[in-house]
Amino acid sequence: MYAAVCGMAVEGLNAQLVRVEVDISNGLPAFDIVGLANTAVKEAKDRVRSALKNSGFQFPLQRITVNLAPADLRKDGTGLDLPIAIGILAAMKEINETSIDRYVFTGELSLEGVLRPVPGVLTMAVGLKNMIEEDFVLVVPQINLAEARLVSGLESAGAATLQELVAILNGQQQFTAQPSPKKEESIDKSEVDWSDIQGQFQAKRALEIAASGGHNLIMVGPPGSGKTLLARAFAGILPPLTPEESLEVTQLHSLAGLFQEEGKLISARPFRSPHHTSTIAGIIGGGQKLRPGELSLANHGVLFLDELPEFSREVLESLRQPLEDRKLTLIRLRGRLEFPARVSVIGTMNPCPCGYLGDTGRQCNCTPLQINSYRRKVSGPLLDRFDLQIEVPRMSYEELKKRKDPERESSESVRERVLLAREKQWKRFGSCRTNAEMSGRETKEICALNAEGETILKKVFERNFLSARAHDRILRVARTIADMEDSEEIQVGHLAESLQYRALDKDANSYY
């Protein structure tokens, strides 16, 4: 007895059809799963056996062989439980095999036959929709149905138990009709409003530039100067995601098992703030299940690294390549995966171990050796990837106690300016790209300076021994400032302001 059904396997943001072939033959009772299956897939035989028995079906006491094709594709997770069970029932003639030809099944089985949710359903739905030569129906656990129906143009259905699904496939019941999900838009409601921040006008200006152009930014200052507060408020001035970005962000969160917005796409830009004890797998991704890390979960949003030097050296150095290429390639023994990393990184650090180097109010007790050792925790090549580098000084008592100005800008008003600047960039590039993502060739063409600007940049470049990367990032920030002021050309004033945001290019002893 033979039957074949379709399931799906997910690799990164790509999904591929898996043909589940089931053969039941005479011989000693056995249950073998072949086709490059990992431990979770091989354990399906125990879940499937119990689920079939507890759903009222007979489990065949014969030799059962399950082949997962293509055999050279690694299969991971518990999503193949359901197609394996359906395949066995079809081979036993409990289900009419012709009734399952157009269905693709995914779902985990409990021992009592309940269909449990699986991660990555949105990626499966997107992948299935792109298979234009086929007309499939995606069958998922009832809990995952709202997620699957976020992809328009694809027919999807859900069931709560294995017994219910078999009755539907045999024509005894119908799939429960579900209303189409409402794709609501939401803006990130940050706990800190822009108007709540006292003083720090230069830092707020730099953060607005970073938000407008998608730039990386690092803030250096003593403890309690408001660096973390500024970063938290930064989330509230980011514009909502575009439909394409929203789908990609939701896919990544679904793949990581973090998608909780039932029936709607994520439309607020992600703001991820991992602790400094996070491992390299937690930040970059990978691990046993090759899941996306914090860097990819912050895609199209912000990765906030508080107390940057406290992160391990290997974690910080692993950020260099994805921050440059805007994508992350993981090569492991199990295979090669690529995750997007179009992210703005906001980092903070103290000027020295005690935090009071250069503070006018308190004396620093750190030795030069301690200061140099602390600053070397963040390498020069990594600092070079931060477009804006600013100092955040300690606030005075008068600034701290100053009454709230009713005319002070709110996050909403700043967000409107940020959106206008980004719309100029989207129009320029013909896609949802920002100035921070310009290539070297685009930087030369779009960020051209006049003679006076070239003279100024040359002097700074030679005096501070800047790298070619720093040179390009200065020009990109200047282009963003020009976009914010609705200027077609980069003026000297735009370049001069951009150069002000390179505090760490100076010698440490010269500016503290």
Side-chain angles (χ1 to χ4, degrees), residues 212-272:
S212 299
H215 301 288
N216 301 327
L217 178 144
I218 186 168
M219 294 181 280
V220 183
S225 59
K227 302 186 296 295
T228 302
L229 191 71
L230 285 162
R232 298 288 180 187
F234 181 79
I237 67 171
L238 296 174
L241 294 164
T242 64
E244 296 79 9
E245 292 172 338
S246 180
L247 181 60
E248 190 172 75
V249 169
T250 308
Q251 280 185 257
L252 287 164
H253 281 72
S254 171
L255 190 60
L258 301 176
F259 181 62
Q260 299 175 346
E261 298 289 336
E262 184 176 347
K264 61 182 180 180
L265 295 172
I266 297 173
S267 55
R269 295 190 180 272
F271 185 88
R272 308 291 299 183

Side-chain angles (χ1 to χ4, degrees), residues 29 100 192 218 233 240 254 286 314 471 473 499:
I100 59 176
V192 182
I218 186 168
S254 171
E314 66 173 0
H471 170 273
R473 290 181 182 269
L499 290 169

Side-chain angles (χ1 to χ4, degrees), residues 19-59:
R19 185 174 173 83
V20 180
E21 302 173 327
V22 179
D23 178 73
I24 302 177
S25 59
N26 293 327
L28 293 176
F31 193 166
D32 296 318
I33 299 177
V34 297
L36 212 57
N38 76 341
T39 303
V41 178
K42 289 183 177 180
E43 289 175 347
K45 56 187 179 183
D46 297 315
R47 293 190 294 271
V48 169
R49 181 186 291 110
S50 297
L52 289 176
K53 289 181 178 179
N54 293 325
S55 296
F57 302 105
Q58 292 293 325
F59 188 81

Side-chain angles (χ1 to χ4, degrees), residues 58-181:
Q58 292 293 325
F59 188 81
L61 297 177
Q62 295 171 283
R63 184 174 185 84
I64 303 173
T65 303
V66 177
N67 179 45
L68 307 177
D72 60 343
L73 174 69
R74 291 186 179 273
K75 289 83 178 179
D76 192 6
T78 57
L80 292 172
D81 287 8
L82 183 57
I84 290 174
I86 295 296
I88 292 174
L89 292 172
M92 294 168 57
K93 308 304 180 184
E94 293 283 351
I95 299 175
N96 184 1
E97 191 174 353
T98 59
S99 68
I100 59 176
D101 287 343
R102 59 188 297 260
Y103 291 107
V104 176
F105 302 93
T106 185
E108 178 184 335
L109 285 173
S110 72
L111 298 185
E112 59 181 345
V114 174
L115 301 189
R116 288 177 173 169
V118 292
V121 166
L122 184 59
T123 297
M124 296 179 193
V126 172
L128 202 58
K129 179 188 174 183
N130 293 335
M131 299 176 188
I132 55 177
E133 70 278 3
E134 302 287 351
D135 183 22
F136 287 116
V137 176
L138 180 62
V139 178
V140 300
Q142 193 72 39
I143 300 176
N144 286 131
L145 183 56
E147 181 181 343
R149 290 194 170 177
L150 288 172
V151 180
S152 58
L154 173 71
E155 187 178 350
S156 53
T161 65
L162 178 62
Q163 191 175 37
E164 176 190 342
L165 180 57
V166 172
I168 292 171
L169 295 175
N170 286 332
Q172 299 168 359
Q173 295 183 31
Q174 297 291 326
F175 284 112
T176 304
Q178 294 284 338
S180 299

